[in-house]
Amino acid sequence: MRTILVLMDTLRRDALGCYNPEGAAHTPHLDAFAEDSLVFDNHWIGSAPCMPARRDIMCGRYNFLERPWGPIEPFDATLVDGLRAGGTYTCIKTDHCHYARTGGEGYLQLFNSWELFRGQEGDPWVSRIDEPDNMPETFYGRVREQYQKNRAKWPREEDMPSPRTFRAACDFIEENAENDDFFLMVEAFDPHEPFDVPDRYMDMYGGAEGLDRDYFEIPPYRRVSETDIPEGAIEYVQRRYKALVTCTDHWFGTLIDALKARGIYDDTMILVTTDHGYFLGDRDYLGKNYMHLYNELAHLPFIVHFPGGARAGERAGQLTQAIDIMPTLLDAYGCEVPSSVRGTSLMPLMTDATAPTRDYALYGVHAMTVNVTDGRYTYFRAPVPGNRPCYEYAAIPHTIRKKMGTDCVDDIEMGRFLSWTDYPVYRFPCTKPANIDQREDCLEEVRDSLLFDLDGDYAQVHNLAGEDAPAEDRMVALLRRGLVEHDAPAEQFDRLGLS
């Protein structure tokens, strides 16, 4: 069995032609791949953002109910552990810089072999003490000095980190095509910001001219109306994002070409998805994390090429999430699925279009709202005023770029607090969501619970909370059930006013 999981960070669903024929970016390779594959129409985010989503994939259970951004824990039963125990060779090629930061430990080391291409975002890679020569004098949003140092190291498109990731994946295929038992993870940081893209792709969207400042590649995580960014610059960064999607699509195409050239495309299982979406001025928002998880962030692309072209060109309406990837792949290899897994194998859908998956999906950012969908309604449950009680649980006390608990040492406890493992963990009082770093009031945008009927209001404009009592009661009951079935810490019920 050969399988390849392709993860493109921050890939909006509406950027792909197979989901949005009228307004998508130019994605000929992904569109052609979709024609050969089963396209999932009801795929939802689980834990957000980047590293929480990856722990969902690796462990088959939600990260966000217990902790924020963090490493693989010592008690985690992972996808790669299961595959390796069954004798499958595992490899990852990636330029996802967060794996090399505090809070991203333990993922790469799971694999038999791994390769990390440096330089994305603010990756502390190029060791130049002086300010770089390419700092823009005027700009919208943010500029990372470290990234400006890094980007000077790739004068050609093929030298950039995400293209190098796909080229390395092609090399892996070339070297190992005669082997029929491997799992390859190809993880491109693009199209995550900064939206740094060669001019040839910008030329497809009107060019890089017309901005009234030198630079706009990294939006601030704020409302547009709270910034000095004009409408023209918003349109410009939207074009930059589409251009980067097209660039990523091009390099994805090289991987598909490599598989076809070696004659193993047809019988290889290939899964393509992302971790989360992004706001590019929609609803007055830029960025992610600090707002409600509207569809722009939460409704995701997921495309699966089954061996032999099973169900090619078809659509699946069943609910799916990232936590389903682990049991799906273990099932495909005939490996045992650990009892800790809460995801569902999607392998039955390869031969049965009516195979059930799940009847709800939970999703969220730790210490923010907890959300649920049944595929028709989306319900965002806001925390009670004060957002208490709220805890973070971890055996390895690292989160995004920092150690946990340094501001509350006297209040840290340790015990067997998680119902699904006997491994002792630290319990930290959570006073501020770890993933929100650009706002003083982290809960400012999520104080109210919201309910939307996607059948007639996919844009999520008309809040039905307080208006449609039967639907709201049904979704609250579904949320309660989800918290129980996914082993949520007991205080989540108090924090969400569900006691």
Side-chain angles (χ1 to χ4, degrees):
M1 182 76 183
R2 303 182 188 93
T3 59
I4 301 175
L5 173 60
V6 180
L7 193 63
M8 303 178 192
D9 202 302
T10 317
L11 181 63
R12 283 179 52 140
R13 184 178 190 270
D14 62 2
L16 302 184
C18 61
Y19 288 107
N20 181 28
E22 301 302 321
H26 184 60
T27 53
H29 301 287
L30 282 163
D31 293 344
F33 174 74
E35 293 177 2
D36 293 341
S37 307
L38 179 61
V39 176
F40 287 80
D41 287 325
N42 227 344
H43 188 68
W44 293 84
I45 200 169
S47 303
C50 301
M51 296 316 298
R54 282 153 182 79
R55 189 161 175 245
D56 280 13
I57 290 172
M58 281 294 159
C59 300
R61 59 181 299 119
Y62 301 128
N63 174 93
F64 81 98
L65 293 173
E66 300 164 359
R67 64 161 300 153
W69 181 297
I72 289 292
E73 294 280 16
F75 49 85
D76 284 341
T78 73
L79 165 63
V80 179
D81 288 332
L83 293 178
R84 292 184 67 175
T88 296
Y89 188 90
T90 63
C91 176
I92 183 171
K93 307 290 186 179
T94 183
D95 62 316
H96 190 84
C97 54
H98 298 308
Y99 284 131
R101 285 197 172 119
T102 299
E105 301 92 343
Y107 291 84
L108 298 180
Q109 294 79 6
L110 294 170
F111 293 81
N112 289 94
S113 60
W114 54 272
E115 192 168 13
L116 174 65
F117 297 99
R118 300 288 304 274
Q120 286 281 22
E121 205 184 46
D123 182 16
W125 177 44
V126 172
S127 305
R128 174 176 175 171
I129 297 174
D130 294 334
E131 181 179 288
D133 301 326
N134 56 356
M135 289 293 288
E137 293 185 8
T138 63
F139 55 89
Y140 291 112
R142 295 178 290 158
V143 176
R144 288 187 173 96
E145 181 177 305
Q146 181 65 57
Y147 183 72
Q148 295 300 110
K149 295 175 183 177
N150 295 346
R151 75 194 303 184
K153 292 292 187 180
W154 46 75
R156 304 175 303 166
E157 178 181 335
E158 55 265 39
D159 298 325
M160 299 176 77
S162 282
R164 291 186 70 194
T165 294
F166 281 110
R167 289 173 63 202
C170 293
D171 290 343
F172 179 91
I173 296 303
E174 182 63 30
E175 295 165 2
N176 296 288
E178 300 303 320
N179 292 277
D180 61 1
D181 190 12
F182 64 74
F183 168 65
L184 173 63
M185 189 165 176
V186 184
E187 191 178 337
F189 195 63
D190 290 342
H192 191 290
E193 82 270 17
F195 305 129
D196 182 9
V197 61
D199 286 344
R200 75 184 184 106
Y201 298 102
M202 279 301 290
D203 290 342
M204 299 172 64
Y205 298 93
E209 303 301 321
L211 190 69
D212 64 348
R213 299 194 185 182
D214 295 334
Y215 176 101
F216 187 25
E217 293 184 9
I218 308 177
Y221 284 20
R222 305 205 64 80
R223 281 185 174 269
V224 178
S225 57
E226 295 174 353
T227 72
D228 65 346
I229 302 174
E231 183 177 339
I234 294 298
E235 188 270 340
Y236 172 86
V237 81
Q238 290 171 352
R239 290 191 287 114
R240 288 203 77 88
Y241 174 77
K242 283 188 172 181
L244 188 53
V245 170
T246 299
C247 177
T248 309
D249 173 83
H250 166 77
W251 289 98
F252 169 77
T254 66
L255 173 61
I256 299 302
D257 288 344
L259 291 166
K260 290 180 177 179
R262 292 308 305 267
I264 61 172
Y265 173 72
D266 290 339
D267 63 356
T268 299
M269 185 173 174
I270 308 165
L271 305 88
V272 175
T273 190
T274 188
D275 47 2
H276 53 72
Y278 197 83
F279 280 102
L280 290 158
D282 325 70
R283 304 178 192 272
D284 194 36
Y285 290 128
L286 291 167
K288 60 181 185 286
N289 300 340
Y290 62 93
M291 67 289 283
H292 280 294
L293 291 182
Y294 293 104
N295 289 342
E296 291 89 342
L297 285 174
H299 197 190
L300 305 180
F302 184 42
I303 309 168
V304 178
H305 175 271
F306 286 113
R311 301 200 61 196
E314 295 184 33
R315 316 285 291 210
Q318 289 91 336
L319 281 168
T320 58
Q321 292 188 281
I323 61 172
D324 299 325
I325 292 174
M326 178 211 194
T328 298
L329 290 173
L330 291 179
D331 190 10
Y333 283 89
C335 298
E336 182 178 355
V337 177
S339 61
S340 58
V341 170
R342 294 294 177 267
T344 300
S345 173
L346 306 179
M347 286 306 294
L349 285 167
M350 177 177 170
T351 55
D352 181 3
T354 65
T357 53
R358 59 179 62 252
D359 57 359
Y360 69 89
L362 295 184
Y363 51 104
V365 173
H366 181 265
M368 300 284 281
T369 59
V370 176
N371 315 291
V372 63
T373 183
D374 61 359
R376 174 177 175 179
Y377 290 92
T378 52
Y379 179 59
F380 308 156
R381 182 75 178 196
V384 298
N387 199 25
R388 299 285 186 278
C390 188
Y391 296 100
E392 300 168 342
Y393 298 89
I396 300 177
H398 289 176
T399 189
I400 180 170
R401 302 185 181 94
K402 64 182 181 181
K403 296 177 172 62
M404 302 166 71
T406 56
D407 57 346
C408 59
V409 174
D410 293 340
D411 298 318
I412 299 172
E413 302 171 275
M414 193 171 193
R416 290 176 171 83
F417 295 119
L418 300 180
S419 63
W420 59 277
T421 177
D422 289 332
Y423 205 99
V425 295
Y426 295 104
R427 182 165 72 178
F428 306 91
C430 178
T431 58
K432 178 182 178 182
N435 296 107
I436 317 297
D437 61 359
Q438 295 183 44
R439 305 184 72 85
E440 292 183 11
D441 184 351
C442 299
L443 300 176
E444 179 182 6
E445 296 286 353
V446 297
R447 296 198 186 283
D448 298 321
S449 296
L450 306 178
L451 174 69
F452 301 102
D453 183 351
L454 301 186
D455 273 4
D457 182 25
Y458 182 80
Q460 297 171 301
V461 173
H462 185 191
N463 178 20
L464 297 176
E467 293 186 15
D468 188 340
E472 188 168 5
D473 290 345
R474 188 165 60 252
M475 297 306 289
V476 169
L478 203 55
L479 177 57
R480 289 177 181 273
R481 177 185 150 202
L483 292 173
V484 172
E485 293 181 348
H486 289 272
D487 311 304
E491 72 274 2
Q492 287 281 9
F493 291 88
D494 297 328
R495 188 182 74 88
L496 298 170
L498 295 172
S499 296

